Structures are given as C-alpha cells and as structure tokens.
Amino acid sequence: MYFSNKTVLITGASSGIGEALAYEFAAQNATVLLCARNIGELQRVKANIKSPCEMFVCDVTDYSAVDAMVGAILAQYNTIDVLVNNAGISQRGMAYETDFSVDERIMKVNYFATVYLTKKVMPVMIAQQSGNIIVISSVSGKFGFWQRSSYAASKHALQGYFETLQIELKQFNIHTLLVCPGGVKTNISKNALGKDGKPYGQMDDLQKKGITPESLAVKVVRASARGKRQLLVGRIEVILYYVKKWIPALFFKIVEKVKER
Ligand SMILES: NC(=O)c1ccc[n+]([C@@H]2O[C@H](COP(=O)([O-])OP(=O)(O)OC[C@H]3O[C@@H](n4cnc5c(N)ncnc54)[C@H](OP(=O)(O)O)[C@@H]3O)[C@@H](O)[C@H]2O)c1
C-alpha cells in the first residue's frame, strides 16, 4: 500500500469528505492526523480509526494555532508526508446581497488558511525530498455558479496557487493533486454561509443526490498515489465543465436557466 506508515495531516477531518479521507488513509495503514474545530466530532472520527491516529483541535484561520499544530506534529513524528487541504465552507447568497464580511470569511478559510498551512509544510517536504499535497477544490474552481460568487472565487484561487506548486515542487519529488468534485453527499450546504453570514441550514438537492464521500475518498487516495495532477469527479457538473471549455455560449445558456440553485 502506497501510503503505509506515512504521516498524513487532514484538515476538516471532523465530517464529510475529510472524515472519509481519514478512514481511507487509515485503511492504507497510514498515521492519520485529524484537524478541525469541533472536538466532539473529532473524537467520534478518531474512535472509528484503528491505525495510529491523533487529533488536533485547530481553527485553520488561527495562524498561531496552526504554527502550534505543525510544531507539535514535527516534534512527535519528525515529518509530514501527506498534506490534505480539505477544510472549507461554501456559500448560498446572491453576490449583490451578500455582506462583504462573508466574502472575506470564505476567502480566509478556503484560500488564505490553505496557503498558510501549505507554506508551513512545504519546507518539511522539500527537506525530505518527497511528499504529496492534496487540495480539495471543487468544480466551482472551474466555473461560476448562482449564489457562490466568493466560494467560486476561492476555489479558482486555489486552482491558480496549486497549479503553480505542481510546476515548482516537482523538482523536489512533491506531487500536488487538485481535486474538483461536483456534488458530494455531505453537510456542506447546511454549513454554507448565507448572505448575512448565518448558516444556510438546508440540504441542497445537489448534495442530497451527490456521490458519497467514501467513493470520492477512494478515488482521491488512488489518484494521489499515482501522481495525478487533477481529479474531476461528479455527474452533470463534470459535463458542464467540458461544455464551458468547448462551447462557452451554451454553458451560460444552460446555467442561467438552472432553477435549483
Ligand atoms: N460536498 C460537496 O458537494 C463538495 C463539492 C466540492 C468541493 N467540496 C469541498 O470539500 C471540502 C470538505 O467539505 P465537505 O463537503 O466535507 O463539507 P463539511 O461536511 O461541511 O466539512 C467541512 C469541514 O471543514 C472543517 N472546517 C470548516 N472551517 C474550518 C476552520 N476554520 N478550521 C478548521 N476546519 C474547518 C469542518 O470542521 P469543523 O466545523 O469541526 O471545524 C469540517 O470538518 C470543502 O473544501 C468543500 O469546499 C465539497
């Protein structure tokens, strides 16, 4: 197994895709380090894991807490072999009605916190001349969509940043995988920020009918082990990506008419 005995740090590991990835890496006999804010949910996930596992209660936007977490990991394990940047929040609200604090918060969690943690881990991987970085972007990193202006912006930003890392880090034997899922059956829409910054609180059809986080996790771990650069997973959303790429006018015609937003 490719990730056997590797040290894997996963952000947003208390639920959804991050939780499923934790189980998938554990099944590979990796040492799994879980990071999120909700201590109760982290304990629940940790209790399900039989391979070596530790949890870190850490808000990724709290940079001194991130420094402390990375310091503690290096003191104990001396390495981070795999970094999974998964923590994120979504958005439901028209751009013209959304408070600017919501735009700032989404960029901070999804983009700046991801960059900050990655910058802490890159020197470790460069020194050991190996590593795998995985970033959970979205099809929203490929095209804009109703009510997700800053969410789409944050995921487009990740695309640019990590595509650059793919170019810069290959010389150090560090592989960077960008994952772009469509709808996945998690609580992402419930936890999404509404126009006033309050949780949206509803399970969208896109999530309800989405693929399972477990099936996505299997594909992500396999793609990273194979050194793939990009993984696009989903149903109609993936088709839309190709429509936008090849027939942009048709893409806008379709998306402007979407009722389920
Ligand atoms: N579900 C989808 O349809 C879908 C599609 C494409 C991409 N994605 C991406 O997949 C990733 C995971 O989302 P999910 O679907 O699994 O949703 P989720 O169940 O809501 O999980 C989000 C995770 O991020 C963590 N998180 C949020 N803010 C954080 C912060 N400030 N510090 C540390 N952890 C934080 C949450 O943990 P705590 O609340 O415990 O901190 C939680 O574990 C996100 O980046 C999302 O954009 C999801």
Side-chain angles (χ1 to χ4, degrees), residues 41-74:
E41 288 303 296
L42 281 172
Q43 282 166 337
R44 179 186 60 76
V45 175
K46 186 172 182 286
N48 292 329
I49 292 178
K50 301 288 167 266
S51 73
C53 178
E54 201 174 328
M55 52 183 251
F56 295 87
V57 181
C58 174
D59 181 333
V60 291
T61 65
D62 178 346
Y63 299 143
S64 54
V66 171
D67 290 349
M69 173 179 72
V70 172
I73 291 169
L74 293 178

PDB file of all heavy atoms in Angstrom, residues 41-74:
ATOM      1  N   GLU A  41     -16.787  15.934  17.410  1.00  0.00           N
ATOM      2  CA  GLU A  41     -16.802  15.242  16.114  1.00  0.00           C
ATOM      3  C   GLU A  41     -15.429  14.623  15.805  1.00  0.00           C
ATOM      4  O   GLU A  41     -15.340  13.543  15.246  1.00  0.00           O
ATOM      5  CB  GLU A  41     -17.224  16.201  14.995  1.00  0.00           C
ATOM      6  CG  GLU A  41     -18.702  16.568  15.039  1.00  0.00           C
ATOM      7  CD  GLU A  41     -19.601  15.337  14.968  1.00  0.00           C
ATOM      8  OE1 GLU A  41     -19.592  14.636  13.958  1.00  0.00           O
ATOM      9  OE2 GLU A  41     -20.310  15.062  15.971  1.00  0.00           O
ATOM     10  N   LEU A  42     -14.374  15.327  16.204  1.00  0.00           N
ATOM     11  CA  LEU A  42     -13.022  14.756  16.009  1.00  0.00           C
ATOM     12  C   LEU A  42     -12.864  13.478  16.828  1.00  0.00           C
ATOM     13  O   LEU A  42     -12.299  12.484  16.356  1.00  0.00           O
ATOM     14  CB  LEU A  42     -11.953  15.776  16.415  1.00  0.00           C
ATOM     15  CG  LEU A  42     -11.634  16.886  15.411  1.00  0.00           C
ATOM     16  CD1 LEU A  42     -10.704  17.921  16.030  1.00  0.00           C
ATOM     17  CD2 LEU A  42     -11.016  16.328  14.130  1.00  0.00           C
ATOM     18  N   GLN A  43     -13.379  13.515  18.065  1.00  0.00           N
ATOM     19  CA  GLN A  43     -13.291  12.317  18.930  1.00  0.00           C
ATOM     20  C   GLN A  43     -14.060  11.154  18.309  1.00  0.00           C
ATOM     21  O   GLN A  43     -13.617  10.010  18.346  1.00  0.00           O
ATOM     22  CB  GLN A  43     -13.835  12.632  20.323  1.00  0.00           C
ATOM     23  CG  GLN A  43     -12.841  13.413  21.171  1.00  0.00           C
ATOM     24  CD  GLN A  43     -13.458  14.024  22.420  1.00  0.00           C
ATOM     25  OE1 GLN A  43     -14.671  14.250  22.493  1.00  0.00           O
ATOM     26  NE2 GLN A  43     -12.621  14.331  23.400  1.00  0.00           N
ATOM     27  N   ARG A  44     -15.234  11.466  17.738  1.00  0.00           N
ATOM     28  CA  ARG A  44     -16.041  10.421  17.091  1.00  0.00           C
ATOM     29  C   ARG A  44     -15.269   9.786  15.923  1.00  0.00           C
ATOM     30  O   ARG A  44     -15.193   8.559  15.811  1.00  0.00           O
ATOM     31  CB  ARG A  44     -17.359  11.041  16.584  1.00  0.00           C
ATOM     32  CG  ARG A  44     -18.290  10.058  15.873  1.00  0.00           C
ATOM     33  CD  ARG A  44     -19.501  10.769  15.275  1.00  0.00           C
ATOM     34  NE  ARG A  44     -19.158  11.785  14.301  1.00  0.00           N
ATOM     35  CZ  ARG A  44     -18.762  11.539  13.047  1.00  0.00           C
ATOM     36  NH1 ARG A  44     -18.698  10.303  12.620  1.00  0.00           N
ATOM     37  NH2 ARG A  44     -18.463  12.535  12.230  1.00  0.00           N
ATOM     38  N   VAL A  45     -14.652  10.626  15.088  1.00  0.00           N
ATOM     39  CA  VAL A  45     -13.898  10.106  13.941  1.00  0.00           C
ATOM     40  C   VAL A  45     -12.700   9.286  14.424  1.00  0.00           C
ATOM     41  O   VAL A  45     -12.455   8.175  13.952  1.00  0.00           O
ATOM     42  CB  VAL A  45     -13.435  11.270  13.014  1.00  0.00           C
ATOM     43  CG1 VAL A  45     -12.549  10.749  11.884  1.00  0.00           C
ATOM     44  CG2 VAL A  45     -14.637  12.017  12.445  1.00  0.00           C
ATOM     45  N   LYS A  46     -11.992   9.822  15.412  1.00  0.00           N
ATOM     46  CA  LYS A  46     -10.787   9.139  15.927  1.00  0.00           C
ATOM     47  C   LYS A  46     -11.152   7.746  16.467  1.00  0.00           C
ATOM     48  O   LYS A  46     -10.409   6.778  16.276  1.00  0.00           O
ATOM     49  CB  LYS A  46     -10.136   9.992  17.021  1.00  0.00           C
ATOM     50  CG  LYS A  46      -8.813   9.443  17.521  1.00  0.00           C
ATOM     51  CD  LYS A  46      -8.140  10.430  18.462  1.00  0.00           C
ATOM     52  CE  LYS A  46      -6.790   9.949  18.940  1.00  0.00           C
ATOM     53  NZ  LYS A  46      -6.825   8.900  19.919  1.00  0.00           N
ATOM     54  N   ALA A  47     -12.320   7.670  17.142  1.00  0.00           N
ATOM     55  CA  ALA A  47     -12.738   6.388  17.737  1.00  0.00           C
ATOM     56  C   ALA A  47     -12.975   5.320  16.665  1.00  0.00           C
ATOM     57  O   ALA A  47     -12.920   4.123  16.948  1.00  0.00           O
ATOM     58  CB  ALA A  47     -14.013   6.601  18.556  1.00  0.00           C
ATOM     59  N   ASN A  48     -13.257   5.751  15.434  1.00  0.00           N
ATOM     60  CA  ASN A  48     -13.505   4.789  14.339  1.00  0.00           C
ATOM     61  C   ASN A  48     -12.227   4.329  13.655  1.00  0.00           C
ATOM     62  O   ASN A  48     -12.280   3.511  12.741  1.00  0.00           O
ATOM     63  CB  ASN A  48     -14.398   5.439  13.273  1.00  0.00           C
ATOM     64  CG  ASN A  48     -15.808   5.684  13.782  1.00  0.00           C
ATOM     65  OD1 ASN A  48     -16.298   4.928  14.606  1.00  0.00           O
ATOM     66  ND2 ASN A  48     -16.442   6.741  13.296  1.00  0.00           N
ATOM     67  N   ILE A  49     -11.087   4.896  14.055  1.00  0.00           N
ATOM     68  CA  ILE A  49      -9.835   4.613  13.345  1.00  0.00           C
ATOM     69  C   ILE A  49      -8.943   3.683  14.168  1.00  0.00           C
ATOM     70  O   ILE A  49      -8.674   3.947  15.338  1.00  0.00           O
ATOM     71  CB  ILE A  49      -9.106   5.945  13.010  1.00  0.00           C
ATOM     72  CG1 ILE A  49      -9.936   6.709  11.961  1.00  0.00           C
ATOM     73  CG2 ILE A  49      -7.690   5.690  12.488  1.00  0.00           C
ATOM     74  CD1 ILE A  49      -9.381   8.051  11.564  1.00  0.00           C
ATOM     75  N   LYS A  50      -8.515   2.616  13.525  1.00  0.00           N
ATOM     76  CA  LYS A  50      -7.720   1.610  14.246  1.00  0.00           C
ATOM     77  C   LYS A  50      -6.213   1.837  14.071  1.00  0.00           C
ATOM     78  O   LYS A  50      -5.419   1.430  14.907  1.00  0.00           O
ATOM     79  CB  LYS A  50      -8.083   0.191  13.771  1.00  0.00           C
ATOM     80  CG  LYS A  50      -9.567  -0.153  13.962  1.00  0.00           C
ATOM     81  CD  LYS A  50      -9.941  -0.378  15.427  1.00  0.00           C
ATOM     82  CE  LYS A  50     -11.443  -0.400  15.632  1.00  0.00           C
ATOM     83  NZ  LYS A  50     -12.042   0.882  16.007  1.00  0.00           N
ATOM     84  N   SER A  51      -5.819   2.459  12.976  1.00  0.00           N
ATOM     85  CA  SER A  51      -4.373   2.699  12.768  1.00  0.00           C
ATOM     86  C   SER A  51      -3.951   3.887  13.634  1.00  0.00           C
ATOM     87  O   SER A  51      -4.800   4.575  14.213  1.00  0.00           O
ATOM     88  CB  SER A  51      -4.079   2.934  11.283  1.00  0.00           C
ATOM     89  OG  SER A  51      -4.550   4.194  10.907  1.00  0.00           O
ATOM     90  N   PRO A  52      -2.643   4.188  13.756  1.00  0.00           N
ATOM     91  CA  PRO A  52      -2.218   5.310  14.598  1.00  0.00           C
ATOM     92  C   PRO A  52      -2.928   6.599  14.176  1.00  0.00           C
ATOM     93  O   PRO A  52      -3.014   6.907  12.986  1.00  0.00           O
ATOM     94  CB  PRO A  52      -0.715   5.403  14.329  1.00  0.00           C
ATOM     95  CG  PRO A  52      -0.330   4.058  13.819  1.00  0.00           C
ATOM     96  CD  PRO A  52      -1.518   3.495  13.119  1.00  0.00           C
ATOM     97  N   CYS A  53      -3.439   7.309  15.170  1.00  0.00           N
ATOM     98  CA  CYS A  53      -4.265   8.491  14.857  1.00  0.00           C
ATOM     99  C   CYS A  53      -4.189   9.494  16.003  1.00  0.00           C
ATOM    100  O   CYS A  53      -4.191   9.106  17.168  1.00  0.00           O
ATOM    101  CB  CYS A  53      -5.710   8.035  14.657  1.00  0.00           C
ATOM    102  SG  CYS A  53      -6.858   9.375  14.316  1.00  0.00           S
ATOM    103  N   GLU A  54      -4.108  10.762  15.648  1.00  0.00           N
ATOM    104  CA  GLU A  54      -4.103  11.814  16.667  1.00  0.00           C
ATOM    105  C   GLU A  54      -4.987  12.949  16.163  1.00  0.00           C
ATOM    106  O   GLU A  54      -5.101  13.159  14.951  1.00  0.00           O
ATOM    107  CB  GLU A  54      -2.667  12.309  16.879  1.00  0.00           C
ATOM    108  CG  GLU A  54      -2.485  12.994  18.214  1.00  0.00           C
ATOM    109  CD  GLU A  54      -1.028  13.356  18.500  1.00  0.00           C
ATOM    110  OE1 GLU A  54      -0.122  12.631  18.066  1.00  0.00           O
ATOM    111  OE2 GLU A  54      -0.818  14.372  19.150  1.00  0.00           O
ATOM    112  N   MET A  55      -5.598  13.660  17.109  1.00  0.00           N
ATOM    113  CA  MET A  55      -6.454  14.772  16.670  1.00  0.00           C
ATOM    114  C   MET A  55      -5.921  16.114  17.165  1.00  0.00           C
ATOM    115  O   MET A  55      -5.331  16.199  18.244  1.00  0.00           O
ATOM    116  CB  MET A  55      -7.891  14.566  17.139  1.00  0.00           C
ATOM    117  CG  MET A  55      -8.036  14.276  18.615  1.00  0.00           C
ATOM    118  SD  MET A  55      -9.738  13.973  19.059  1.00  0.00           S
ATOM    119  CE  MET A  55     -10.055  15.478  19.974  1.00  0.00           C
ATOM    120  N   PHE A  56      -6.130  17.137  16.363  1.00  0.00           N
ATOM    121  CA  PHE A  56      -5.695  18.490  16.700  1.00  0.00           C
ATOM    122  C   PHE A  56      -6.888  19.414  16.558  1.00  0.00           C
ATOM    123  O   PHE A  56      -7.430  19.568  15.456  1.00  0.00           O
ATOM    124  CB  PHE A  56      -4.561  18.941  15.769  1.00  0.00           C
ATOM    125  CG  PHE A  56      -3.313  18.129  15.945  1.00  0.00           C
ATOM    126  CD1 PHE A  56      -3.130  16.951  15.234  1.00  0.00           C
ATOM    127  CD2 PHE A  56      -2.344  18.522  16.851  1.00  0.00           C
ATOM    128  CE1 PHE A  56      -1.995  16.179  15.418  1.00  0.00           C
ATOM    129  CE2 PHE A  56      -1.204  17.758  17.047  1.00  0.00           C
ATOM    130  CZ  PHE A  56      -1.030  16.587  16.324  1.00  0.00           C
ATOM    131  N   VAL A  57      -7.298  19.995  17.684  1.00  0.00           N
ATOM    132  CA  VAL A  57      -8.409  20.952  17.637  1.00  0.00           C
ATOM    133  C   VAL A  57      -7.801  22.281  17.202  1.00  0.00           C
ATOM    134  O   VAL A  57      -7.044  22.911  17.945  1.00  0.00           O
ATOM    135  CB  VAL A  57      -9.078  21.074  19.023  1.00  0.00           C
ATOM    136  CG1 VAL A  57     -10.250  22.049  18.958  1.00  0.00           C
ATOM    137  CG2 VAL A  57      -9.542  19.715  19.512  1.00  0.00           C
ATOM    138  N   CYS A  58      -8.095  22.672  15.982  1.00  0.00           N
ATOM    139  CA  CYS A  58      -7.398  23.826  15.412  1.00  0.00           C
ATOM    140  C   CYS A  58      -8.283  24.499  14.367  1.00  0.00           C
ATOM    141  O   CYS A  58      -8.803  23.843  13.459  1.00  0.00           O
ATOM    142  CB  CYS A  58      -6.085  23.332  14.782  1.00  0.00           C
ATOM    143  SG  CYS A  58      -5.183  24.580  13.875  1.00  0.00           S
ATOM    144  N   ASP A  59      -8.454  25.792  14.531  1.00  0.00           N
ATOM    145  CA  ASP A  59      -9.125  26.600  13.511  1.00  0.00           C
ATOM    146  C   ASP A  59      -8.042  27.006  12.514  1.00  0.00           C
ATOM    147  O   ASP A  59      -7.073  27.680  12.885  1.00  0.00           O
ATOM    148  CB  ASP A  59      -9.743  27.833  14.187  1.00  0.00           C
ATOM    149  CG  ASP A  59     -10.491  28.721  13.202  1.00  0.00           C
ATOM    150  OD1 ASP A  59     -10.145  28.717  12.008  1.00  0.00           O
ATOM    151  OD2 ASP A  59     -11.406  29.436  13.643  1.00  0.00           O
ATOM    152  N   VAL A  60      -8.201  26.611  11.268  1.00  0.00           N
ATOM    153  CA  VAL A  60      -7.118  26.859  10.296  1.00  0.00           C
ATOM    154  C   VAL A  60      -6.904  28.346  10.011  1.00  0.00           C
ATOM    155  O   VAL A  60      -5.890  28.729   9.446  1.00  0.00           O
ATOM    156  CB  VAL A  60      -7.324  26.076   8.961  1.00  0.00           C
ATOM    157  CG1 VAL A  60      -7.145  24.587   9.158  1.00  0.00           C
ATOM    158  CG2 VAL A  60      -8.660  26.410   8.319  1.00  0.00           C
ATOM    159  N   THR A  61      -7.865  29.185  10.401  1.00  0.00           N
ATOM    160  CA  THR A  61      -7.685  30.636  10.197  1.00  0.00           C
ATOM    161  C   THR A  61      -6.944  31.282  11.370  1.00  0.00           C
ATOM    162  O   THR A  61      -6.647  32.472  11.326  1.00  0.00           O
ATOM    163  CB  THR A  61      -9.034  31.364   9.991  1.00  0.00           C
ATOM    164  OG1 THR A  61      -9.804  31.266  11.192  1.00  0.00           O
ATOM    165  CG2 THR A  61      -9.816  30.786   8.833  1.00  0.00           C
ATOM    166  N   ASP A  62      -6.686  30.491  12.420  1.00  0.00           N
ATOM    167  CA  ASP A  62      -5.933  30.989  13.582  1.00  0.00           C
ATOM    168  C   ASP A  62      -4.465  30.586  13.362  1.00  0.00           C
ATOM    169  O   ASP A  62      -4.056  29.464  13.664  1.00  0.00           O
ATOM    170  CB  ASP A  62      -6.521  30.342  14.854  1.00  0.00           C
ATOM    171  CG  ASP A  62      -5.773  30.774  16.116  1.00  0.00           C
ATOM    172  OD1 ASP A  62      -4.663  31.336  15.997  1.00  0.00           O
ATOM    173  OD2 ASP A  62      -6.310  30.521  17.206  1.00  0.00           O
ATOM    174  N   TYR A  63      -3.693  31.505  12.809  1.00  0.00           N
ATOM    175  CA  TYR A  63      -2.353  31.142  12.337  1.00  0.00           C
ATOM    176  C   TYR A  63      -1.423  30.706  13.473  1.00  0.00           C
ATOM    177  O   TYR A  63      -0.564  29.838  13.270  1.00  0.00           O
ATOM    178  CB  TYR A  63      -1.749  32.292  11.522  1.00  0.00           C
ATOM    179  CG  TYR A  63      -2.559  32.634  10.282  1.00  0.00           C
ATOM    180  CD1 TYR A  63      -2.714  33.955   9.854  1.00  0.00           C
ATOM    181  CD2 TYR A  63      -3.202  31.644   9.546  1.00  0.00           C
ATOM    182  CE1 TYR A  63      -3.476  34.256   8.728  1.00  0.00           C
ATOM    183  CE2 TYR A  63      -3.966  31.935   8.426  1.00  0.00           C
ATOM    184  CZ  TYR A  63      -4.098  33.252   8.020  1.00  0.00           C
ATOM    185  OH  TYR A  63      -4.853  33.547   6.916  1.00  0.00           O
ATOM    186  N   SER A  64      -1.585  31.281  14.670  1.00  0.00           N
ATOM    187  CA  SER A  64      -0.706  30.826  15.754  1.00  0.00           C
ATOM    188  C   SER A  64      -1.088  29.399  16.180  1.00  0.00           C
ATOM    189  O   SER A  64      -0.214  28.605  16.551  1.00  0.00           O
ATOM    190  CB  SER A  64      -0.713  31.804  16.939  1.00  0.00           C
ATOM    191  OG  SER A  64      -2.015  32.032  17.362  1.00  0.00           O
ATOM    192  N   ALA A  65      -2.381  29.070  16.101  1.00  0.00           N
ATOM    193  CA  ALA A  65      -2.803  27.683  16.404  1.00  0.00           C
ATOM    194  C   ALA A  65      -2.251  26.720  15.349  1.00  0.00           C
ATOM    195  O   ALA A  65      -1.856  25.589  15.664  1.00  0.00           O
ATOM    196  CB  ALA A  65      -4.327  27.591  16.458  1.00  0.00           C
ATOM    197  N   VAL A  66      -2.199  27.167  14.097  1.00  0.00           N
ATOM    198  CA  VAL A  66      -1.639  26.325  13.022  1.00  0.00           C
ATOM    199  C   VAL A  66      -0.136  26.119  13.258  1.00  0.00           C
ATOM    200  O   VAL A  66       0.373  25.000  13.140  1.00  0.00           O
ATOM    201  CB  VAL A  66      -1.908  26.967  11.634  1.00  0.00           C
ATOM    202  CG1 VAL A  66      -1.158  26.223  10.528  1.00  0.00           C
ATOM    203  CG2 VAL A  66      -3.400  26.972  11.342  1.00  0.00           C
ATOM    204  N   ASP A  67       0.563  27.203  13.639  1.00  0.00           N
ATOM    205  CA  ASP A  67       2.001  27.079  13.965  1.00  0.00           C
ATOM    206  C   ASP A  67       2.207  26.028  15.060  1.00  0.00           C
ATOM    207  O   ASP A  67       3.092  25.177  14.970  1.00  0.00           O
ATOM    208  CB  ASP A  67       2.559  28.415  14.492  1.00  0.00           C
ATOM    209  CG  ASP A  67       2.648  29.473  13.401  1.00  0.00           C
ATOM    210  OD1 ASP A  67       2.474  29.123  12.217  1.00  0.00           O
ATOM    211  OD2 ASP A  67       2.873  30.650  13.740  1.00  0.00           O
ATOM    212  N   ALA A  68       1.363  26.110  16.107  1.00  0.00           N
ATOM    213  CA  ALA A  68       1.497  25.185  17.246  1.00  0.00           C
ATOM    214  C   ALA A  68       1.221  23.748  16.799  1.00  0.00           C
ATOM    215  O   ALA A  68       1.932  22.812  17.199  1.00  0.00           O
ATOM    216  CB  ALA A  68       0.541  25.597  18.363  1.00  0.00           C
ATOM    217  N   MET A  69       0.199  23.571  15.956  1.00  0.00           N
ATOM    218  CA  MET A  69      -0.144  22.215  15.487  1.00  0.00           C
ATOM    219  C   MET A  69       1.016  21.621  14.679  1.00  0.00           C
ATOM    220  O   MET A  69       1.443  20.485  14.939  1.00  0.00           O
ATOM    221  CB  MET A  69      -1.420  22.266  14.629  1.00  0.00           C
ATOM    222  CG  MET A  69      -1.763  20.937  13.966  1.00  0.00           C
ATOM    223  SD  MET A  69      -3.270  21.004  12.990  1.00  0.00           S
ATOM    224  CE  MET A  69      -2.730  21.977  11.584  1.00  0.00           C
ATOM    225  N   VAL A  70       1.541  22.388  13.732  1.00  0.00           N
ATOM    226  CA  VAL A  70       2.631  21.868  12.891  1.00  0.00           C
ATOM    227  C   VAL A  70       3.869  21.594  13.762  1.00  0.00           C
ATOM    228  O   VAL A  70       4.529  20.555  13.605  1.00  0.00           O
ATOM    229  CB  VAL A  70       2.950  22.845  11.727  1.00  0.00           C
ATOM    230  CG1 VAL A  70       4.199  22.405  10.965  1.00  0.00           C
ATOM    231  CG2 VAL A  70       1.761  22.937  10.779  1.00  0.00           C
ATOM    232  N   GLY A  71       4.137  22.484  14.722  1.00  0.00           N
ATOM    233  CA  GLY A  71       5.262  22.285  15.640  1.00  0.00           C
ATOM    234  C   GLY A  71       5.110  20.994  16.423  1.00  0.00           C
ATOM    235  O   GLY A  71       6.065  20.211  16.550  1.00  0.00           O
ATOM    236  N   ALA A  72       3.904  20.758  16.939  1.00  0.00           N
ATOM    237  CA  ALA A  72       3.654  19.546  17.738  1.00  0.00           C
ATOM    238  C   ALA A  72       3.806  18.297  16.875  1.00  0.00           C
ATOM    239  O   ALA A  72       4.371  17.281  17.313  1.00  0.00           O
ATOM    240  CB  ALA A  72       2.255  19.606  18.353  1.00  0.00           C
ATOM    241  N   ILE A  73       3.323  18.354  15.648  1.00  0.00           N
ATOM    242  CA  ILE A  73       3.422  17.185  14.745  1.00  0.00           C
ATOM    243  C   ILE A  73       4.893  16.882  14.457  1.00  0.00           C
ATOM    244  O   ILE A  73       5.343  15.736  14.534  1.00  0.00           O
ATOM    245  CB  ILE A  73       2.648  17.445  13.427  1.00  0.00           C
ATOM    246  CG1 ILE A  73       1.140  17.494  13.697  1.00  0.00           C
ATOM    247  CG2 ILE A  73       2.962  16.364  12.381  1.00  0.00           C
ATOM    248  CD1 ILE A  73       0.307  17.995  12.525  1.00  0.00           C
ATOM    249  N   LEU A  74       5.655  17.937  14.146  1.00  0.00           N
ATOM    250  CA  LEU A  74       7.070  17.705  13.795  1.00  0.00           C
ATOM    251  C   LEU A  74       7.866  17.214  15.002  1.00  0.00           C
ATOM    252  O   LEU A  74       8.758  16.374  14.859  1.00  0.00           O
ATOM    253  CB  LEU A  74       7.680  18.972  13.200  1.00  0.00           C
ATOM    254  CG  LEU A  74       7.090  19.372  11.839  1.00  0.00           C
ATOM    255  CD1 LEU A  74       7.718  20.659  11.343  1.00  0.00           C
ATOM    256  CD2 LEU A  74       7.274  18.258  10.811  1.00  0.00           C
TER     257      LEU A  74
END
